[in-house]
Amino acid sequence: MPRTRAEQREQTRRTLVAVSRRLFASKGYGAVGLAEIVRESGVTKGALYHHFEGKAELFRAVLVEVQQEVAARVAAAAEAAGDPWSQLKAGCAAFVTAGADPEVQRVMLIDGPAVLGWNEWRAIDEATSARHLAEALAGLIEDGVIAAQPVAPLTHLLSGAMNEAVLWLAQSPGPHDLADTLAALSRLLESLRRP
C-alpha cells in the first residue's frame, strides 16, 4: 500500500533528523554543512527547507530528541528503583551514565548551548531533565528526607554538577572515571539526606 503524503513528509523529517544527529554527533555542528545533510539524507535542499528553516532549527530538533531520550532513560531508571530517595539516586546516576555517551555529550552539552544560546538550551533542559529533578527534590523535601530549603537553587546546583561531571568525563582518559564519578555523585547526594 503506498504511503500518504503526510507519511512521506514524516519519513523525510525523521530521516533528516536521524542523519543530522549522526553527523552532528560525530563531527560537531560547525563541521557539518547543509549540503552534506541533504546528500546523506537523499533529499533535496527544498525538502529540508520545507521541514526546517535552516541548520540551527534542524539541530534544535536533534537536541530535543536527545534530551527526551536521556530524560526517558533517567525516568526509567528512577521508576525501577524503590523508594523516592533511591529513585533520585538512580535517576541522577542514569543521567551521568547517559551523558558519558559521546553523542549525548556533543549534542546536548557542548554544541547545544553554543548553537542555540544559553537561554534556549536552558528552556529545553528545563522541559525535560531539570523538571524531573526539581519534582523529585521537592517531594523529598516535603517528605523530610532532605532538609527544608528552596528547590530551585538545589536543582540548578545538582544539575550543573552533573553536567560538569559529564563534560569532564568526555575529556577523561581513565578507565574507572565513570565509576569514580558515580561514587562521588552518590556521596554528594547522601550529604543532602537528613540523618
Side-chain angles (χ1 to χ4, degrees):
M1 181 168 136
R3 292 186 299 183
T4 67
R5 283 187 187 261
E7 290 171 333
Q8 289 173 341
R9 280 192 300 272
E10 183 54 32
Q11 179 58 45
T12 299
R13 187 182 192 291
R14 280 196 307 269
T15 299
L16 284 165
V17 170
V19 167
S20 298
R21 180 176 177 165
R22 179 177 50 77
L23 292 171
F24 292 149
S26 63
K27 297 180 175 187
Y29 177 85
V32 177
L34 285 180
E36 183 177 13
I37 292 170
V38 196
R39 184 178 64 251
E40 294 213 16
S41 296
V43 302
T44 65
K45 238 181 196 179
L48 184 144
Y49 284 116
H50 175 77
H51 293 281
F52 303 98
E53 288 181 12
K55 189 169 108 170
E57 187 179 335
L58 181 54
F59 177 81
R60 187 184 196 290
V62 169
L63 174 62
V64 167
E65 181 179 272
V66 169
Q67 285 271 31
Q68 289 172 342
E69 287 175 9
V70 169
R73 288 170 69 178
V74 168
E79 288 170 11
D83 62 283
W85 177 254
S86 299
Q87 290 174 344
L88 172 71
K89 289 186 71 176
C92 289
F95 176 84
V96 170
T97 301
D101 178 332
E103 175 181 304
V104 172
Q105 291 168 347
R106 167 63 80 175
V107 171
M108 192 169 83
L109 298 170
I110 297 171
D111 286 345
V115 172
L116 299 179
W118 181 252
N119 289 334
E120 187 173 355
W121 179 83
R122 231 20 240 154
I124 294 169
D125 185 57
E126 290 283 339
T128 53
S129 302
R131 180 175 53 85
H132 294 298
L133 179 59
E135 289 169 359
L137 292 169
L140 290 166
I141 289 169
E142 186 177 309
D143 293 344
V145 176
I146 296 175
Q149 59 189 290
V151 174
L154 183 58
T155 301
H156 287 280
L157 284 166
L158 287 176
S159 178
M162 289 186 284
N163 286 341
E164 183 60 31
V166 167
L167 288 171
W168 174 74
L169 285 169
Q171 306 300 317
S172 165
H176 304 291
D177 287 339
L178 176 58
D180 291 345
T181 300
L182 292 172
L185 175 61
S186 179
R187 288 188 299 274
L188 175 67
L189 291 173
E190 285 296 336
S191 73
L192 297 173
R193 195 173 188 181
R194 291 178 70 170

